[in-house]
Structure formats: structure tokens, C-alpha cells
């Protein structure tokens, strides 16, 4: 039996010649120190393979028609056998991919792996990062629920701010003048054909470059990268102490990827697929569009900006991020690779992680959103059942103050908590504030009667 | 992986443009490159043009009926629904649109797009407070569409309104592509 297989193998090798280059690739030498920090690339690859398989499977039931997509997603989620699990795996696979693309980018930046001769490894990696986010975003839109149609409206509105090309950019995003069939079909084509094709080409190029230059060795303080000598030194090091990738290094990649796959499946079973929102009917105005978790930080950034800075940030920030990431290997492609000797680079990494992390937390809690479900103030909180204080409390409710201000735990977070505003502001100051409004507060001068105003201030004064 | 072909000296793959009509080899290089370009162009241009066809389709701007005039009360703002004239037959519910219609004295009407001018989220009319509120980033507008507070840079977008045979009609302009 073994004899027969060996013969078959030899026959195939003589006709294809594939064994030789594959083994050459698998056993390429890697630096001895490339250990657990080096597993993120394969983790991304593994999650991508999960995405391809689950994505193809989902496409066998999903119909990219504006009138029917929502129905098919509902069917896949609630009726089709395995559909719920499949959608969930596709969602958590995407999340894993984005998470590990982030880890991989941080790891290679921290270890200075983008320096000579691996500048193009970094650039193709940056392209892959943005393609991955683009895949996530287009995938979210394919759910084609209320959140999708309004998310596109939000995207179009941002594109519209670009000078001169704004209306064209918005039309390209919408594939027309408004959200509809063409929008969905174009997003579908991008998500399943165009972006994956570019993604696969970029992966091939990226992996080729990794093999061509070899895996970067762990940085050592004081060992400077000099383009004149780096390659010779690297080759000599590999010859002396390099280990074959298979199996000396590959086992760590496989172990980590296994954990990733198990993690994705556990999350999928435990949490299920993302909820499908209400139908994609833009005439239902009670909608609150929100991106998936990995773009929440950007959503929060747009909410917290000073209003005057908005145009600049909406247009400039994406360009700044892209150019900033692309320029990294050109700003410094030699010298120290060790994070211990690159304080500015480390400061940037810490800042980015803190910035994105803090904004993500803000994006989850959304303190700037009016609380449309605020519970009315109870008589106990008001402390009166009739009279001006009671009437003022009713005005506080009907005029929408409660959407943004909290009193004794009832209300929204956008404006200051008014539980003890009577201690801080006088009758006069309260009146001026209500009548004139402020940065984020409407001026109520034209929206409130003299009696309502008097009652309202009396009520607020009693908050001590 | 490096030097897979053992440091061969390759001929220049590109033609020497000075010799393309002199040397057979240089001519064949040019011929193949030009024909390759033709194949590429023929294969991609119609496809790309098709994918961008919406840039060449004239936009339909039509008046749509939103109801008889007596349905609306003075000084009240209500949601009116209609179908977007720029949609395709298989659009389903995603072709639905709505607007906030306010009746003013003397049979005057104003119709506001539901999109917040900040980032396009749907604004809600809170009738008791007499304000439009946006759920996304807390934009607030007065009943006449002017910005009351928050991040919106401009008043709410308005659709032209007319009355024809006792019916209120809106002119549906493409809000999302007009700054």
C-alpha cells in the first residue's frame, strides 16, 4: 500500500514538479526568536478562510434585491437549518479578522518590521487592513435592515462634504440618487467579487514578500538596520541559527489558529448572529443607525468633535490615517527597530490604542444621544402633587428637557445632570439659560409661554 | 525563494521604441503590448461604464401627492409618506420615503426632509417640545427647520410644496446628493 502511494507521488511529482517548490516554501528558514508574537498573520489567514467558506454558503440563500434581501436574511436567521449558526460564524469570523489585522499591524509597527527591506510588506499590509474594514462595512450593509439604509445615508452625507466632488462621491456610494436596489446590488458586488478579488491578490503579494525577504528577526536594542548591510547580515544569521518554518515555527501558528477557530465558534454559539433590525423602510423615522463595533470609535469621534472642526475632520481624518500609515516606512526605514529605542513610535501606538479604546467605550454608551425612552418624573422625585413645582415638572417633561437632562436618575445624558441644579444656579441664571439656550441646547424663547417658564424655573430651583 | 532563476540575464521585455519598425523582435513586442492593451480596454471599459451607469441616467424630479389639503391642521407638523420616483420596480419597502409636513396659515406648507443636515440620520418631530431631534448626535431644530442646537451645520433641507386640485404635492429632490 505505502509502496503504491509512493509510486503515485513520484509519478505526480515528475508530471507537476509541485512538491519541490511547496516544500521549499514550507521549510524556508525563520529566525529562531520568532515565537508567539508572530502568529497573528496566520490567524488572519485562518479567519479569512472561514469567511470565504461561510460567505459562499450564505450566498446560496441570500438574494441581493432591495425588496427581498431583508426577507432572505430573516429566513436564513430563523428558519434555514444551520442558518443562524452560519451567520453568527460569519460575523465573529469578520470580527476576528479585524481584531487580528489590528494586532498584526501593531505588532509589526512596534517591532519595526516595516523597515528596510520590508517597506512593501507594510504597504500591502496597510492595503489589506483597509480592505478588511471595507469588507466588514459592506457586509454590514448586506443585512439590509433599517440600520443599513440609514448607515448608507450617513455615509453619503459625509461624502457630500468633500469640495467639488462631494455630489459625485455621494452618488457613487449610493449608486444613484437615493438608497435602493442599485445600492444593494453594488454593495453586494463589492462584498463578494470586487473586494475579495483585490484582497486575495493583495494577500498573495503580501505572503510572497514575507517569503522573499524572510520573517523579520525579533529586534535587539542597538542592532541598527543599515540598508547596505542588512541583507547580508540577515542571510548569515539564518544560515547559522535559522529554523525551518515547518514544523519548528508553524506549530505555534497552527495552535493559535485553532484557538481562534474555537473562539469564533464558541462566540457564534453563545451570542448568535447580530440582530436584524427593523425592515429597510426609510420612511420609518424612528431609527438610530450605528456601525458595528470596530467603527464605533469613529462614530463617537464624529459625535464629540467641536462643531466647527467637523468639515475638516470628516474630510481630513480618513486621508490623514491612510497617508500616516502609508508614510511610516518612508519616515524611518533604517536605524533602531527595538521599541525600547523608539519612544515616539511607542507614544503613537499607546495614543492610538487609548484614543480608539476610549472612543469605543463612548460609542457604546452614546451619552450624546437624546434619551427618547426617558421615564417620566414620579411625584416622589418632584416632591409635589400640584402647584407651580408640579406644573414646572410637567413642562420639564413635555418640552423635551428630559431627553437630555437627568433628574434623580430619570432622563438623558447629553446635557448636565440637573438633580441639584438649584444649588448651582439662581432663578435668573436658570431663566437666561432656558430662554437663550447654548451650544448643545435649543433656545426656548419662542417655544415656551411665560407661565411655563416661571413654573419650570421654580421647579428647577427646588432641585437641591 | 530568492533568485529562483539563477541570475539569468533577461532581454528587455519592453520594445525599443526607436526600432519597432526596423527590428522584427521589437515590432512583435510592441504588437503584443498594444493588442494586450486593446483586450484589456475592451474587457473592462463596458463593464466599468455599466457599473457607473447611474451617473449618466437623468434624474427624475417629480411631484408626488401626499394627501388632500384638509387632512392637515394649521401649526401642526406631521409625517407624510410617499414613494421615491427614482426607484426601481424591485425596490420594495426601501423605495418608501417620508417628509415632515407643516401647515402654516393661509394654506402655506413647508416640507422638511427627514435627514439631519449633520450626517443624514432621521430626525424625529417632538410635537410637545416643538422641536426636531436627531438621535445620532443630538442635533436639534426648531419647527421652521432652523438649527436650534447641536452639530447640524445647516437648517433642515426643504422640499418645494404646491397645491394641485386640493392635494398637497412635494417636489422630491435627491436630498442625499445635494449639499
Amino acid at each position: 500500500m505505502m509502496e503504491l502511494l509512493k509510486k503515485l507521488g513520484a509519478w505526480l511529482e515528475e508530471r507537476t514538479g509541485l512538491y519541490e517548490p511547496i516544500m521549499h516554501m514550507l521549510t524556508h528558514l525563520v529566525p529562531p526568536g520568532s515565537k508567539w508574537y508572530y502568529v497573528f498573520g496566520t490567524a488572519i489567514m485562518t479567519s479569512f478562510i472561514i469567511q470565504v467558506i461561510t460567505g459562499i454558503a450564505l450566498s446560496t440563500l441570500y438574494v441581493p434585491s432591495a425588496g427581498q434581501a431583508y426577507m432572505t436574511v430573516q429566513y436564513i436567521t430563523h428558519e434555514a437549518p444551520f442558518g443562524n449558526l452560519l451567520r453568527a460564524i460569519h460575523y465573529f469570523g469578520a470580527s476576528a479578522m479585524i481584531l487580528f489585522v489590528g494586532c498584526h499591524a501593531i505588532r509589526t509597527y512596534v517591532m519595526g518590521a516595516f523597515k528596510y527591506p520590508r517597506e512593501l510588506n507594510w504597504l500591502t499590509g496597510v492595503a489589506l487592513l483597509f480592505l478588511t474594514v471595507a469588507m466588514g462595512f459592506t457586509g454590514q450593509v448586506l443585512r439590509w435592515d433599517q440600520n443599513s439604509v440609514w448607515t448608507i445615508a450617513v455615509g453619503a452625507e459625509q461624502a457630500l462634504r468633500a469640495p467639488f466632488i462631494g455630489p459625485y462621491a455621494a452618488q457613487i456610494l449610493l449608486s444613484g440618487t437615493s438608497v435602493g436596489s442599485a445600492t444593494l446590488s453594488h454593495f453586494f458586488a463589492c462584498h463578494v467579487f470586487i473586494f475579495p478579488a483585490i484582497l486575495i491578490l493583495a494577500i498573495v503579494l503580501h505572503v510572497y514578500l514575507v517569503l522573499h525577504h524572510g520573517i523579520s528577526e525579533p529586534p535587539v536594542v542597538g542592532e541598527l538596520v543599515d540598508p547596505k548591510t542588512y541583507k547580508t547580515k540577515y542571510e548569515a544569521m539564518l544560515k547559522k541559527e535559522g529554523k525551518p518554518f515547518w514544523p519548528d515555527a508553524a506549530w505555534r501558528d497552527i495552535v493559535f489558529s485553532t484557538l481562534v477557530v474555537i473562539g469564533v465558534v464558541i462566540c457564534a454559539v453563545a451570542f448568535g448572529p447580530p440582530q436584524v433590525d427593523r425592515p429597510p423602510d426609510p420612511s420609518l423615522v424612528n431609527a438610530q443607525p450605528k456601525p458595528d463595533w470596530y467603527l464605533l470609535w469613529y462614530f463617537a469621534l464624529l459625535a464629540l468633535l467641536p462643531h466647527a472642526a467637523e468639515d475638516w475632520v470628516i474630510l481630513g481624518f480618513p486621508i490623514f490615517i491612510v497617508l500616516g500609515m502609508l508614510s511610516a516606512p518612508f519616515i524611518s526605514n533604517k536605524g533602531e527597530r527595538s521599541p525600547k529605542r523608539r519612544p515616539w513610535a511607542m507614544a503613537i501606538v499607546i495614543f492610538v490604542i487609548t484614543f480608539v479604546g476610549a472612543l469605543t467605550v463612548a460609542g457604546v454608551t452614546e451619552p450624546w444621544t437624546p434619551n427618547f425612552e426617558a421615564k417620566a418624573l414620579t411625584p416622589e422625585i418632584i416632591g409635589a402633587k400640584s402647584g407651580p413645582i408640579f406644573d414646572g415638572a410637567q413642562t420639564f417633561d413635555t418640552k423635551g428637557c428630559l431627553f437630555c437632562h437627568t433628574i434623580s436618575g430619570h432622563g438623558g445624558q447629553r446635557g448636565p445632570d440637573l438633580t441639584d441644579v438649584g444649588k448651582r444656579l439662581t432663578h435668573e441664571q436658570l431663566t437666561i439659560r432656558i430662554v437663550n439656550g447654548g451650544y448643545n441646547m435649543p433656545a426656548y424663547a419662542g417655544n415656551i409661554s411665560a407661565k411655563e417658564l416661571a413654573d419650570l424655573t421654580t421647579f428647577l430651583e427646588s432641585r437641591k | 525563494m530568492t533568485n529562483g532563476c539563477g541570475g539569468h540575464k533577461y532581454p528587455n521585455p519592453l520594445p525599443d521604441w526607436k526600432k519597432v519598425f526596423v527590428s522584427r523582435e521589437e515590432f512583435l513586442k510592441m504588437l503584443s503590448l498594444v493588442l494586450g492593451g486593446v483586450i484589456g480596454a475592451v474587457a473592462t471599459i463596458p463593464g466599468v461604464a455599466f457599473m457607473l451607469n447611474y451617473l449618466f441616467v437623468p434624474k427624475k424630479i417629480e411631484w408626488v401627492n401626499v394627501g388632500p389639503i384638509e387632512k392637515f391642521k394649521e401649526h401642526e407638523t406631521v409625517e407624510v409618506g410617499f414613494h421615491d420616483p427614482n426607484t426601481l420596480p424591485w425596490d420594495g419597502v426601501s423605495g418608501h420615503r417620508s417628509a415632515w409636513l407643516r401647515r402654516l396659515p393661509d394654506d402655506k406648507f413647508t416640507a422638511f426632509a427627514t435627514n439631519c443636515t449633520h450626517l443624514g440620520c432621521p430626525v424625529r418631530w417632538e410635537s410637545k417640545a416643538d422641536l426636531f431631534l436627531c438621535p445620532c448626535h443630538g442635533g436639534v431644530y426648531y419647527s421652521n427647520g432652523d438649527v436650534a442646537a447641536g452639530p447640524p451645520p445647516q437648517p433642515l433641507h426643504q422640499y418645494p410644496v404646491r397645491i394641485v386640485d386640493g392635494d398637497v404635492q412635494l417636489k422630491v429632490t435627491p436630498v442625499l446628493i445635494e449639499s
Side-chain angles (χ1 to χ4, degrees), chain A residues 47-68:
Chain A
S47 348
F48 179 63
I49 292 168
I50 296 179
Q51 291 310 91
V52 172
I53 297 170
T54 50
I56 291 174
L58 285 168
S59 78
T60 58
L61 264 183
Y62 180 78
V63 176
S65 143
Q68 290 161 322

Side-chain angles (χ1 to χ4, degrees), chain A residues 103-322:
Chain A
C103 294
H104 193 53
I106 291 171
R107 203 283 293 170
T108 46
Y109 184 72
V110 167
M111 291 196 173
F114 59 88
K115 298 198 175 194
Y116 180 87
R118 301 185 179 83
E119 294 96 333
L120 279 175
N121 297 34
W122 173 262
L123 297 190
T124 50
V126 172
L128 283 165
L129 185 149
F130 287 108
L131 278 165
T132 305
V133 175
M135 283 296 282
F137 181 76
T138 49
Q140 187 196 344
V141 168
L142 294 192
R143 282 174 218 153
W144 206 243
D145 52 10
Q146 193 179 47
N147 197 59
S148 300
V149 293
W150 286 108
T151 300
I152 298 169
V154 171
E157 207 69 44
Q158 289 182 50
L160 206 49
R161 300 229 183 171
F164 313 115
I165 57 160
Y168 292 101
Q171 273 192 72
I172 287 174
L173 191 73
L174 291 164
S175 306
T177 51
S178 55
V179 176
S181 301
T183 320
L184 178 57
S185 295
H186 278 77
F187 268 84
F188 183 74
C190 283
H191 187 74
V192 306
F193 297 120
I194 302 170
F195 292 167
I198 304 173
L199 197 66
I200 289 170
L201 286 179
I203 290 174
V204 169
L205 184 56
H206 191 72
V207 172
Y208 162 76
L209 289 169
V210 170
L211 291 168
H212 181 69
H213 294 302
I215 295 172
S216 69
E217 70 280 24
V220 177
V221 175
E223 256 183 39
L224 308 186
V225 174
D226 179 357
K228 282 189 201 118
T229 56
Y230 180 81
K231 280 194 172 181
T232 338
K233 265 164 90 182
Y234 180 80
E235 302 273 324
M237 179 273 293
L238 273 195
K239 247 183 210 141
K240 208 172 118 206
E241 46 189 347
K243 296 260 163 45
F245 174 70
W246 178 273
D248 289 63
W251 72 272
R252 286 194 189 84
D253 292 271
I254 304 291
V255 168
F256 188 71
S257 286
T258 311
L259 294 177
V260 171
V261 173
I262 293 173
V264 165
V265 173
I266 286 178
C267 285
V269 173
F271 303 109
Q275 286 241 310
V276 183
D277 201 5
R278 293 191 294 162
D281 179 346
S283 72
L284 304 174
V285 289
N286 278 12
Q288 206 164 334
K290 221 174 168 180
D292 278 353
W293 65 269
Y294 49 87
L295 283 178
L296 271 181
W297 66 276
Y298 193 62
F299 171 79
L301 176 70
L302 295 181
L304 296 173
L305 280 178
H307 308 158
E310 253 173 10
D311 275 343
W312 298 100
V313 174
I314 287 174
L315 299 171
F317 193 65
I319 299 172
F320 171 74
I321 297 180
V322 173

Side-chain angles (χ1 to χ4, degrees), chain A residues 161 179 181 186 283 310 368, chain B residues 51 79 91 97 118 136 142:
Chain A
R161 300 229 183 171
V179 176
S181 301
H186 278 77
S283 72
E310 253 173 10
W368 54 83
Chain B
M51 283 172 64
E79 193 189 337
D91 262 359
R97 302 284 180 265
H118 176 223
C136 283
Y142 295 116

Side-chain angles (χ1 to χ4, degrees), chain A residues 24 65-67 144 150 153-154 156-158 160-161 167-168 170-172 174-182 186 194 211-212 280-283 285-289 299 302-303 307 310 314 366 368-370 372 398-400 403 414 439-444 447, chain B residues 1-3 50-55 59 79 81-82 84 86-88 90-98 100 114-124 126 128-131 133-140 142 148-151 153 174-179:
Chain A
H24 184 80
S65 143
W144 206 243
W150 286 108
V154 171
E157 207 69 44
Q158 289 182 50
L160 206 49
R161 300 229 183 171
Y168 292 101
Q171 273 192 72
I172 287 174
L174 291 164
S175 306
T177 51
S178 55
V179 176
S181 301
H186 278 77
I194 302 170
L211 291 168
H212 181 69
D281 179 346
S283 72
V285 289
N286 278 12
Q288 206 164 334
F299 171 79
L302 295 181
H307 308 158
E310 253 173 10
I314 287 174
E366 288 190 276
W368 54 83
T369 289
F372 293 99
T398 55
K399 290 295 170 192
F403 291 145
R414 179 152 178 84
Y439 190 61
N440 279 326
M441 177 174 160
Y444 274 88
N447 284 18
Chain B
M1 280 302 282
T2 48
N3 289 327
F50 177 76
M51 283 172 64
L52 297 174
N53 70 72
Y54 47 81
L55 293 177
K59 285 145 199 77
E79 193 189 337
F82 55 91
D84 189 333
N86 277 300
T87 50
L88 293 165
W90 56 94
D91 262 359
V93 293
S94 42
H96 294 178
R97 302 284 180 265
S98 61
W100 293 109
T114 52
N115 300 86
C116 181
T117 57
H118 176 223
L119 288 177
C121 287
V123 295
R124 309 178 190 190
E126 292 296 333
K128 286 178 187 160
D130 240 15
L131 296 167
L133 268 85
C134 179
C136 283
H137 301 120
V140 189
Y142 295 116
V175 180
L176 289 179
I177 62 160
E178 280 173 358
S179 37

